[in-house]
Amino acid sequence: SHSGKSTLVAALCRLLSDRGFRVAPFKSQNMSLNSWVTQNGSEIGIAQAVQAWAARAEPTEFMNPILLKPKGDRTSQVIVLGKPMADKSAEEYYREIDGLKGVVDRSVQELEKDYDYIVVEGAGGAAEINLFDRDLANIYVARHLQAPIILVGDIERGGVFASLFGTMQLLPEDIRPLVKGLVINKFRGDPAILGSGLKTLEELTGVPVLGVMPYLDLDIPSEDSVSLGDKKARSAADAVEIAVIRLPRISNFTDFEPLERQAHVRYVNLSEPLGRPDAVIIPGTKNTVSDLREMKEKGMADQIKSLTETPILGICGGYQMLGSEIIDGGIEDTLGTMPGLGLLDAVTRFDLYEKRTVQVKKTVTGGGPILQSIRGQNVTGYEIHMGVTSPKGQAAFGDDGAVSESGIVIGTYLHGLFENENFRNAFLDFLHRRKNPGLDQSLFPKAEIGVRAAKGDGFAELAQATEAHLDMEKIWRMLDLD
């Protein structure tokens, strides 16, 4: 995991698209809490949505037909073709794996109807010898498609030569000949020092090394929580500090990546001191009740409530936590009622195993010092949540969300909110005015768009780096594109 497979798939999707081909990404089974909602309301892993954007294609459920969203306690929500089916343990899931092979086959067939090329991403390591008979994302798809395979190794984690060589040795004998190239990723330094190692690796495996990719700092949304460990808060003397609560089951933290180049964004574990940030964000979570309970047990809830003058934004599960209480009918965690943080006058109920997944466009209706400047304007986003929240008082965005009387506590179900330039700038401008009241507002950092990749800049940069550092002639020959 986190070796760079998703990024390389995105790069190949963009390069094939640049050559005029219709190309689609595909990952048969993904495990991630960062997800995206397609135009028809299907939920898929965000990596496949990003890869589709790189390919200049519209994301669909066939690009990621099976999504596993971990809930803790060794269970995951199983999402099939964009819709939640059930919460299952690993043992229960694997008992039904044969039935899911038909879903994978159908998805490939659907993509083949519309696209010239499909670029497939595996999952985790490709040589999990204990899972070969149940490995939908790697072994099953490789056997089914007989496509050329590129192995990607992450040099930052150490032992990259052993990892690539060991993977080759452990792959099933019928899969090994499909491996046509090796890539070493995330190298910081002069690749010349790897020369003898690369030569020996080629001799040992009989597979060419296609190149060494440098570590790239790209504006492309992160795939899953593994990448949280790579995040380094950027700071400047006059930068505002935004604390994002790192919930145990944090989901869709890509919501806040548009802020990372404009503010000091700090992810705070529940047991850490919160300090005195300029704003606090409570993100989404796969299990609101369990994470709220842990927030209380570890003292983070009290730390947040003590910041009475600090703007607080709750998104999705974070919005649910900000309310007065959560009533769980056994859907989230257990039967019963749990008091929320009490910062918004709202009650959330979990009565049905139903999820709302939809792209939305809303009008800003909330007031107060943050929202008033963009009141009446539109924002777009997407919803992915269970539970229904009933707020009192003014809504934040049309029929969604809530705003406190002070206007500095806001809750909403809208993911992707900070990709809206109007909301992002309204939020950051308010924080800057508070932190630096003597500064000219025109000096406050603004960006045309939070995620450059949404306009293609990040993908163009990735494609250029891939062409510069990998032997693309060999890759094109794999695809009969001499």
Side-chain angles (χ1 to χ4, degrees), residues 302-376:
D302 288 336
Q303 289 192 73
I304 293 172
K305 290 192 290 186
S306 72
L307 301 177
T308 56
E309 301 298 320
T310 301
I312 298 173
L313 173 67
I315 295 180
C316 200
Y319 169 34
Q320 295 169 341
M321 293 180 187
L322 286 174
S324 57
E325 63 181 10
I326 298 172
I327 303 170
D328 186 7
I331 304 300
E332 276 279 293
D333 188 78
T334 185
L335 291 168
T337 299
M338 175 178 286
L341 298 179
L343 300 180
L344 290 176
D345 190 0
V347 174
T348 297
R349 301 185 66 96
F350 291 98
D351 291 327
L352 300 172
Y353 192 85
E354 292 180 355
K355 180 182 287 190
R356 177 173 168 81
T357 55
V358 63
Q359 295 183 8
V360 296
K361 182 176 183 180
K362 303 283 187 180
T363 300
V364 180
T365 51
I370 297 174
L371 295 180
Q372 185 61 44
S373 65
I374 57 171
R375 189 180 174 96

Side-chain angles (χ1 to χ4, degrees), residues 163-344:
S163 174
L164 291 169
F165 175 72
T167 297
M168 286 295 300
Q169 292 297 106
L170 291 175
L171 282 173
E173 290 187 5
D174 62 317
I175 301 298
R176 210 173 300 159
L178 296 174
V179 180
K180 304 299 183 182
L182 309 174
V183 170
I184 291 178
N185 194 31
K186 303 183 188 177
F187 184 67
R188 303 174 191 253
D190 182 359
I193 67 174
L194 300 177
S196 61
L198 301 179
K199 181 180 178 182
T200 301
L201 183 62
E202 289 184 334
E203 292 171 350
L204 289 171
T205 62
V207 177
V209 175
L210 299 173
V212 178
M213 288 291 292
Y215 186 93
L216 300 172
D217 184 15
L218 298 168
D219 283 344
I220 293 177
S222 302
E223 179 176 14
D224 55 38
S225 59
V226 179
S227 64
L228 276 173
D230 292 345
K231 291 188 176 296
K232 302 292 187 293
R234 298 174 173 86
S235 62
D238 59 348
V240 296
E241 179 185 333
I242 300 172
V244 178
I245 308 303
R246 186 170 177 174
L247 301 171
R249 301 160 187 83
I250 187 172
S251 64
N252 285 68
F253 64 84
T254 48
D255 284 340
F256 319 118
E257 290 180 336
L259 295 172
E260 291 176 5
R261 295 184 183 276
Q262 298 176 258
H264 178 98
V265 179
R266 179 167 61 96
Y267 289 82
V268 186
N269 291 321
L270 298 189
S271 55
E272 289 183 57
L274 184 54
R276 306 292 298 184
D278 298 299
V280 174
I281 299 177
I282 308 177
T285 166
K286 191 63 198 73
N287 194 311
T288 301
V289 174
S290 293
D291 279 3
L292 177 57
R293 180 183 295 112
E294 291 194 41
M295 282 180 62
K296 292 180 176 182
E297 291 173 350
K298 295 185 177 180
M300 181 56 73
D302 288 336
Q303 289 192 73
I304 293 172
K305 290 192 290 186
S306 72
L307 301 177
T308 56
E309 301 298 320
T310 301
I312 298 173
L313 173 67
I315 295 180
C316 200
Y319 169 34
Q320 295 169 341
M321 293 180 187
L322 286 174
S324 57
E325 63 181 10
I326 298 172
I327 303 170
D328 186 7
I331 304 300
E332 276 279 293
D333 188 78
T334 185
L335 291 168
T337 299
M338 175 178 286
L341 298 179
L343 300 180
L344 290 176

